[in-house]
């Protein structure tokens, strides 16, 4: 059995460039999707925060401390 040759420096550089390009594209798509939904995400997180604060206040003041 012959051992496979390790990739040359040019092949490794090309693969690294493709991986970097893929990462940039994935980040760009994620930011575009986030830009479309950030208002709704912010609204939902504020509602959840207010509900959690209300539950905590109820337990603190009327729950026997």
């Amino acid at each position: 059995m012959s051992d496979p040759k390790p990739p040359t420096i040019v092949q490794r550089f090309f693969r690294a460039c493709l991986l970097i390009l893929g990462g940039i594209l994935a980040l760009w798509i994620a930011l575009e999707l986030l830009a479309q939904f950030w208002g709704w995400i912010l609204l939902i997180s504020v509602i959840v925060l207010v509900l959690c604060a209300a539950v905590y206040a109820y337990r603190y003041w009327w729950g026997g401390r």
Side-chain angles (χ1 to χ4, degrees):
M1 269 192 344
S2 65
D3 292 329
K5 289 186 347 186
T8 64
I9 190 77
V10 174
Q11 290 173 334
R12 291 190 337 203
F13 178 73
F14 182 70
R15 287 179 187 164
C17 288
L18 286 178
L19 286 173
I20 291 170
L21 179 63
I24 290 171
L25 286 174
L27 284 173
W28 177 69
I29 291 170
L31 286 174
E32 288 294 322
L33 288 174
L34 185 62
Q36 292 179 1
F37 300 114
W38 75 271
W40 289 106
I41 293 171
L42 184 64
L43 178 66
I44 291 170
S45 62
V46 167
I47 290 171
V48 168
L49 183 65
V50 168
L51 287 175
C52 289
V55 168
Y56 177 75
Y58 177 79
R59 284 185 175 180
Y60 181 75
W61 279 301
W62 292 282
R65 295 181 193 203

